[in-house]
Each structure stands twice: as structure tokens, then as C-alpha cells.
Amino acid sequence: MALLEVRGLEVAFPQGPRDEALALRGVDLDLDPGERLGVVGESGAGKSMLAFAILNLISEPGRIRAGSIRFDGRNLLTLPPAEIRNIRGNRIAMIFQDPMMTLNPVLTIGRQMVETLQAHRRIGWAEARKLSIERLGQVAIPTPESRFDSYPHELSGGLRQRVVIAIALLTDPEIIIADEPTTALDVTIQAEIMALILRLCRDHRVGLILITHDLGVVAEVTERLMIMYAGKVVEEGSTRQLIEHPGHPYTRGLLAALPQRVARGQTLNQIPGTMPGIADLPAGCAYHPRCERAIAGCHINIPVLEAHGSRRISCFRPLLAGAEA
Amino acid sequence: MHILAFLIRRLFQAVIVMLIISIIGFSIQDQLGDPLRELVGQSVSEAEREALRDRMGLNDPFWTQYLRFLGNALGGDLGTSYFFKKPALEVILAKFPATFELVLGATFLFVSASIPGGIYCAIRPRAWLARFIMAGSIIGLSIPIFLTAIFLIWIFAVELGVMPSFGRGETVTLPWGWRTGFLTRDGLLHLVLPSISLAAIMLPLFIRLIRAEMIETLSTEYVRFAWAKGLAARRVWFVHAFRNTLLPVVTVGGLQIGTLIAYTILTETVFQWPGMGFMFLEAVKRVDTPLIIAYIIVVGMIFVIVNTIVDLVYTLINPMVKLPGAQG
Ligand SMILES: Nc1ncnc2c1ncn2[C@@H]1O[C@H](COP(=O)(O)OP(=O)(O)OP(=O)(O)O)[C@@H](O)[C@H]1O
Ligand SMILES: [Mg+2]
């Protein structure tokens, strides 16, 4: 059994007095120990919702309406608050998108590290400090002793994200969920931070759920991929397979839009149109208005995720060798 | 070093503010009543009056008179009260402890009630008690202070007879001449109703302010991150959210000190509290100009001092601002 097993997860937001709109429409996810999974999709696909829902941290007015999240055999959605707290930040840690906003501006780096340790272990200040400084060193922060007493605003964005990574690593978690950990950073340090995350996860056999817009990054870091569109998983399989032979038209569209794929002088092939909002989903497959392969049935029926060999695709006309018309 | 640069800068600002206040004070003296009427009887002839005016410099140009006023004021001479026949500053300062202790009592009450109240309303917005507090605060905002005061007097002093309704009660004079009501049971009892009345004005304002700022802070990324780190709810609320809530509350709260001082005039009058506000209203009634001006200047000074303290506190709790005016 997988270490983390999400089934049929639905996150709902109220729409008017009685209605609800779904930001997640039945998402499944599996993660084995030490596995690195990429979650990719355009803005609004529900990637962050998925990340927060896994830690049962959906904030009002949203709520988890259905589904289960099994971690190490226990359903996080029915766990008492004290026990779920024992998992958050301890066994499953999170890295947020914008390091400028993630750290509390009025507390020193050191206090924000020590409190994390003390929330999960019986540990004195001196020992917690020693361990924190050691972690700061591991994420290649120069002069970690002096950084321990710094305030967040005294550090650059890149250093702050390193601090956030160090906080995530403090308690030796089994899973790290990184929600677009490099998008807010300077282009020149994005690769550095990504390489750091990859190295740490490999060295310590930490499972990684890497959320991103960027298929290019995911190809280098992850073993498995999940493509999301409008609150649903549309394709899921090994990273290599999906990148070399995309099965869902949306996956192919994302790949075609990658700058690396475009020959010099050619324009970028953005997928035409935009993703629908959660309140105005089209009938049938949510992707059909933008899909170049859509047929009559796509407007009416919602496709389900079906196994095609080792991968799963949710499409009536997947792009499979042999299935091509 | 930072503190020193900051204080020098603030001192400079304070001097400018005080100069402006003194000009206002002096203009009032110029407009209000005729000092001669207070000094001489009706029987003095017009020619004699004019001679007296000349001798007293009352016919000098405005700025000459102002500079003379300023010179005297710097020496601590704000004129002599017509009514008390004593230096105005001395009269005011004798009343200062009463007002100070009233403000302190009220501040203690509204701070210790609005912090838990505001936090509670922010973290449990749907609870019936929170809705009740919020509804109550709207009503509270619109009740005039004398109504609260009279209602309190009626219930606790007249009907139940458990609280005194006027005056400071028994006071103790401390070695440096400060008369305090804090050290006797009777003095403390007398403080209760006036403090509650004055606090009732600030309480709804602060509950709403703290609630609004706290809700804002609770939705920030760093509070989300604090939850994601698995911290206990208490730590997230009080250490992560509330500390950041304090910053805007201190700033806005500091500005409300003026409101508080203004309302001491009404509170002291209703409860016949022998403080500066009560005395000020009496002075206005008697057109005791030197006393009115002394009040304005002393209150202006309190204002400047309190604002400096608020700024200092703000910089102490916010690591992101270096003290203004300090280098590096
Ligand atoms: N408070 C809310 N009320 C209603 N809808 C919301 C709310 N918060 C988020 N949503 C919707 O939920 C959907 C999923 O949002 P989510 O933040 O998970 O997207 P994302 O895939 O992380 O996008 P991005 O790449 O921009 O971070 C979006 O369509 C968003 O509009
Ligand atoms: Mg997101």
C-alpha cells in the first residue's frame, strides 16, 4: 500500500446561499515512500487546493466535501486535531510558493525553526538551536549561526526559500509538498533551489509532491506525473512516458507550449482559450471547448480516468499509438 | 544610537508642534475677554484704562505680544488664573494626577477587555457570543458617554447603592506631591464608575479594530505556513497572528489618545471628578483665560509625549522598521 493514498477528494466552495462549486472534483493520488510526483496544470486547476486538502488545511469558506486521505494507513480527515497536528510539519511538510510571504516578519528565523521542532519533539532551546543551524548549513546558507538570529526581511528571496526548505527538513519528514517553490524567485536562482530540493529528497529518501506550471522542471525532478485540469486529474503516469508520448490532448497542449520545444523563430504554441472557473464549468469534458480533438460526445459526457497500460487517461479520444484515427 | 537619533528628531518635531499650539493658545487669549476687566473695577476712566493698556503692552503688535507670551511660557509662567489667583500652570498640574489616574484606569479596562474580545471575535466569527459582541459594539459606538455614565450612576449608586457617584474619594499624597486614589479602597471604589464610562467609549472601537486586523492577519501566508508546520492553535493565534495584529492596532490606537482626552472632559464633569477636564469646563464658564490656555498647552504636551511613546513602542515590536531618522 502507498504511503499516501488520496481517494475521491472533493473540495467545495459556497456559491450563493445554497449552491456549492467544486474546486476539486474527485481527485485520486498515490505516493510511495521516497517517490517524487509532479502535479502540473494551468493556474486555477486546483493544485494548491490539493496540497492544502492533504494536510486538512482548507480554510473557510471552503470545505472538503467528500473523499479520504490515507497516510500511513490512517484517514487524515477523521483524525482528531491533536493527531493531525502531529503529522503536519512533522511527517508531511510543506514548502510554499512565495518565500517573501511565508515567514513571519516579526519573528527571527531561529524562533520560527525552534518552534517547529518544539511542536513535535521534547527538545530544549540549545539543542533545537544546534539542529536548526545544522539544517541551515545543509541548505547551503552561508554563516548559519548569524542567520539564525536574523529577521526574514534581512534575507534575499533565494535565502528565504532556503530557510523554508530547512524548516521543512527539520523534523525529517516522509513527504514534502512543494507548491511552486521557485515561481516567485529570480530566474537565475530557480534552478539552484530546484536542484537543492531534488538532492535533499534523494539523499534522505523523502517523498516529494512537486506542484508547478512548468513541465520542463518536472521532467528533471519527478518520476511520476499527474496532469490536472479544472479540478480533475486528466492524465497520470510515469514522467518519461507522459512527456515522450502525451496521452491527453491537454498534456500535449502543455508540452507544445514549452519554450524549449519551440524551434527558434517559431511562435509559442499556447493552448487557445483559458481554463473555466469553478463556477462555470462546461457540460461534458471540461477541456472540450479548447480541445482540437473534441467530438460530439465530449460535450455531453464526462470522461473517467481509465487505465491505458501503465498510465491512466481521462479522455474519449486519447492520443495513443494505434488508437489514432 | 538609533534611539538617540530618533529622540532628537522627535524632540525637534515636538518643539514645532508646541510652537503651533502656543500660537493658538495665545490667539485665544487675544480674542477671549478683556484682561483689564478682571484687573480693574468699573470706576476707572477710559483714559486711565488706555494708559494701563500701554503699560501692559496690550497695544503692542501681535507678534511682539506673542513673543513676550512665549518667553514667559518657557519660564513656566502661563499667566495667573483670574479665579484661583494662583499661577495657571500650578492649578493645572495639581489637577493632573486625577485625570491621569482616570485615564489609566479606563485604559486598563478597555485594553484588557478589547484584546480578548477582539481576538475571540476574529477566530470564532460564527459563534453566537462573537455575533453578540459585534452587535453590542455597534450599539456601544452610538451611545453618548453621559448616557452610559448616568445609567451607571442610576444602577450602582442610586438603586444598588454600592458605588460612589462623584468625586475621587479618599486620596493619599505621595512624597512628590502627587495625590493618588490608587492606594485606598475608597479611592479605588470612586474610580470604578468613571473608568467604566470612559472605557465604554473606547471599547467598541478597539474590539472592532483588533477583530478586523486579526482577521486580516489570520488570512496571511505566514499564518497558513504556521498551521502547516503543525503548531498548536494557541501558538498560531497569539504568537503568529496577534503579534502582527498589534502593529496596526498600536498605530491607530495611538491616534485615539486624543479622543480619550477629549472624553475626560465629559466624564469628569458628570462624575465631578476633580481633574483637568472638569476644571477646564469650569474655566470656560468663568472665562478664566489663563487657565484655558494652560489647559490647552498642557494637553498639547501630553499629546506629543504620548505619540512619541507610541512610535517608540511601534518600532520596538516591529523589527522591519529601523527607527526613523536613524542611519543603516
Ligand atoms: N475562496 C475561494 N472561493 C471560491 N473559489 C476559490 C477560492 N479559493 C480558490 N478558489 C478556486 O479554486 C480553484 C483552484 O484554485 P488553486 O489555488 O488550487 O489553483 P492552482 O492550480 O493552485 O493555481 P495557481 O497555479 O494559480 O496557483 C480556482 O479556480 C480558484 O478560483
Ligand atoms: Mg496554487
Side-chain angles (χ1 to χ4, degrees):
Chain A
M1 198 171 104
L3 177 62
L4 180 69
E5 198 183 277
V6 178
R7 288 292 173 271
L9 190 63
E10 289 185 9
V11 170
F13 283 90
Q15 290 287 311
R18 2 196 116 244
D19 241 10
E20 280 187 323
L22 291 180
L24 291 184
R25 301 185 290 147
V27 171
D28 297 352
L29 180 152
D30 287 275
L31 193 78
D32 288 328
E35 191 184 18
R36 293 186 301 279
L37 169 73
V39 177
V40 179
E42 288 164 300
S43 190
K47 306 180 298 290
S48 300
M49 282 303 147
L50 176 60
F52 284 106
I54 288 174
L55 287 175
N56 203 351
L57 275 178
I58 296 293
S59 48
E60 299 241 313
R63 68 182 186 105
I64 296 178
R65 192 168 85 167
S68 66
I69 297 163
R70 296 200 155 270
F71 173 70
D72 206 9
R74 291 186 301 169
N75 187 352
L76 300 190
L77 298 182
T78 54
L79 230 47
E83 286 187 48
I84 178 111
R85 216 166 47 229
N86 195 32
I87 290 172
R88 280 181 201 145
N90 186 23
R91 302 183 61 190
I92 305 179
M94 223 173 137
I95 300 172
F96 284 23
Q97 175 170 350
D98 189 349
M100 294 308 197
M101 320 283 275
T102 311
L103 296 169
N104 193 321
V106 302
L107 302 176
T108 60
I109 305 289
R111 268 192 78 179
Q112 300 188 52
M113 297 189 85
V114 170
E115 69 175 1
T116 313
L117 275 168
Q118 289 182 334
H120 301 294
R121 313 227 189 302
R122 297 184 63 86
I123 186 173
W125 174 270
E127 203 189 332
R129 178 173 185 273
K130 204 176 127 241
L131 202 78
S132 302
I133 289 174
E134 194 184 302
R135 285 290 190 271
L136 289 175
Q138 278 176 8
V139 297
I141 286 183
T143 62
E145 291 86 0
S146 69
R147 287 314 182 189
F148 183 84
D149 295 314
S150 298
Y151 284 96
H153 72 271
E154 296 168 320
L155 273 59
S156 69
L159 279 185
R160 281 194 228 184
Q161 196 63 311
R162 284 174 196 269
V163 169
V164 173
I165 294 169
I167 291 177
L169 286 173
L170 271 176
T171 53
D172 301 310
E174 286 136 273
I175 298 176
I176 289 180
I177 303 174
D179 187 357
E180 312 200 28
T182 58
T183 16
L185 297 177
D186 208 88
V187 193
T188 51
I189 46 178
Q190 286 187 354
E192 257 175 59
I193 296 288
M194 217 48 249
L196 175 71
I197 293 176
L198 176 62
R199 177 170 61 76
L200 291 167
C201 286
R202 260 198 198 134
D203 292 357
H204 300 86
R205 250 182 80 71
V206 182
L208 176 69
I209 298 177
L210 177 66
I211 293 170
T212 173
H213 293 265
D214 188 349
L215 267 172
V217 168
V218 126
E220 290 161 31
V221 177
T222 66
E223 301 152 328
R224 217 149 49 77
L225 254 186
M226 229 169 79
I227 312 289
M228 286 186 70
Y229 190 81
K232 259 179 155 355
V233 179
V234 295
E235 183 168 10
E236 190 251 297
S238 87
T239 305
R240 224 175 127 174
Q241 198 177 19
L242 259 64
I243 283 181
E244 285 172 6
H245 305 288
H248 195 286
Y250 181 56
T251 313
R252 186 172 70 174
L254 289 176
L255 281 165
L258 279 181
Q260 298 94 303
R261 292 282 175 116
V262 180
R264 211 163 298 158
Q266 215 178 320
T267 49
L268 288 182
N269 300 308
Q270 292 298 341
I271 308 172
T274 52
M275 174 146 38
I278 60 171
D280 41 49
L281 290 176
C285 170
Y287 186 59
H288 86 253
R290 301 171 73 187
C291 182
E292 77 273 10
R293 291 171 60 82
I295 49 173
C298 300
H299 304 231
I300 299 154
N301 300 312
I302 299 179
V304 291
L305 211 52
E306 275 173 357
H308 294 264
S310 60
R311 72 168 108 185
R312 298 193 300 160
I313 306 170
S314 139
C315 181
F316 295 121
R317 289 186 70 204
L319 300 145
L320 293 168
E324 288 282 46
Chain B
M1 277 307 97
H2 290 166
I3 299 274
L4 199 65
F6 171 78
L7 284 179
I8 288 171
R9 211 179 121 108
R10 282 314 297 242
L11 204 66
F12 182 69
Q13 287 172 357
V15 167
I16 291 176
V17 172
M18 289 313 298
L19 277 176
I20 293 170
I21 292 174
S22 71
I23 293 175
I24 295 171
F26 176 71
S27 314
I28 291 173
Q29 182 184 43
D30 217 34
Q31 305 296 322
L32 212 64
D34 179 0
L36 240 55
R37 200 196 64 207
E38 309 290 335
L39 290 173
V40 296
Q42 301 289 321
S43 58
V44 183
S45 77
E46 197 48 48
E48 280 173 300
R49 280 171 189 256
E50 203 47 41
L52 203 55
R53 267 177 201 285
D54 257 352
R55 206 143 25 90
M56 290 175 65
L58 291 176
N59 288 332
D60 290 348
F62 180 87
W63 291 108
T64 318
Q65 289 195 53
Y66 169 69
L67 285 179
R68 196 180 313 128
F69 167 84
L70 192 64
N72 291 340
L74 285 177
D77 176 10
L78 292 175
T80 303
S81 160
Y82 301 150
F83 181 78
F84 294 98
K85 312 285 184 221
K86 275 197 281 184
L89 192 62
E90 194 179 295
V91 177
I92 284 274
L93 290 182
K95 302 284 183 189
F96 177 74
T99 300
F100 181 81
E101 290 185 357
L102 172 62
V103 168
L104 211 64
T107 306
F108 171 77
L109 285 181
F110 82 75
V111 167
S112 54
S114 63
I115 288 179
I119 292 179
Y120 177 77
C121 290
I123 60 188
R124 292 272 178 271
R126 286 180 211 291
W128 69 264
L129 181 58
R131 290 167 195 257
F132 179 79
I133 293 175
M134 290 315 287
S137 75
I138 291 191
I139 299 169
L141 276 178
S142 52
I143 297 181
I145 190 165
F146 57 85
L147 220 68
T148 325
I150 288 168
F151 183 74
L152 286 174
I153 291 174
W154 178 56
I155 296 273
F156 292 99
V158 180
E159 290 294 320
L160 299 174
V162 290
M163 287 287 171
S165 64
F166 64 88
R168 283 186 87 187
E170 199 183 320
T171 56
V172 175
T173 306
L174 298 175
W176 56 92
W178 182 286
R179 282 181 55 203
T180 178
F182 283 163
L183 295 179
T184 64
R185 206 183 108 83
D186 189 49
L188 286 173
L189 268 182
H190 277 79
L191 190 63
V192 173
L193 293 186
S195 301
I196 293 178
S197 305
L198 189 54
I201 286 293
M202 311 303 282
L203 184 61
L205 209 75
F206 272 79
I207 286 191
R208 301 186 75 84
L209 176 65
I210 291 174
R211 186 193 87 111
E213 295 297 342
M214 182 85 176
I215 285 179
E216 176 123 8
T217 323
L218 281 174
S219 67
T220 57
E221 284 292 292
Y222 56 82
V223 168
R224 280 198 130 189
F225 189 59
W227 289 118
K229 290 199 298 186
L231 304 184
R234 246 171 305 124
R235 194 165 174 96
V236 177
W237 289 331
F238 298 116
V239 177
H240 283 265
F242 185 63
R243 277 189 66 135
N244 284 281
T245 301
L246 267 181
L247 296 174
V249 169
V250 164
T251 319
V252 180
L255 296 174
Q256 294 301 325
I257 302 289
T259 319
L260 195 64
I261 292 178
Y263 277 109
T264 57
I265 299 176
L266 291 175
T267 315
E268 290 182 4
T269 305
V270 177
F271 289 96
Q272 295 174 47
W273 188 262
M276 299 193 302
F278 185 31
M279 185 221 67
F280 174 68
L281 222 58
E282 298 280 286
V284 170
K285 272 193 259 169
R286 297 178 186 127
V287 201
D288 195 341
T289 318
L291 213 47
I292 295 174
I293 292 162
Y295 178 82
I296 290 169
I297 287 178
V298 168
V299 165
M301 222 150 141
I302 294 173
F303 228 78
V304 169
I305 292 170
V306 168
N307 272 321
T308 308
I309 294 175
V310 166
D311 278 4
L312 255 177
V313 168
Y314 183 84
T315 53
L316 288 182
I317 57 178
N318 186 359
M320 274 197 288
V321 281
K322 295 251 161 50
L323 288 166
Q327 302 300 317

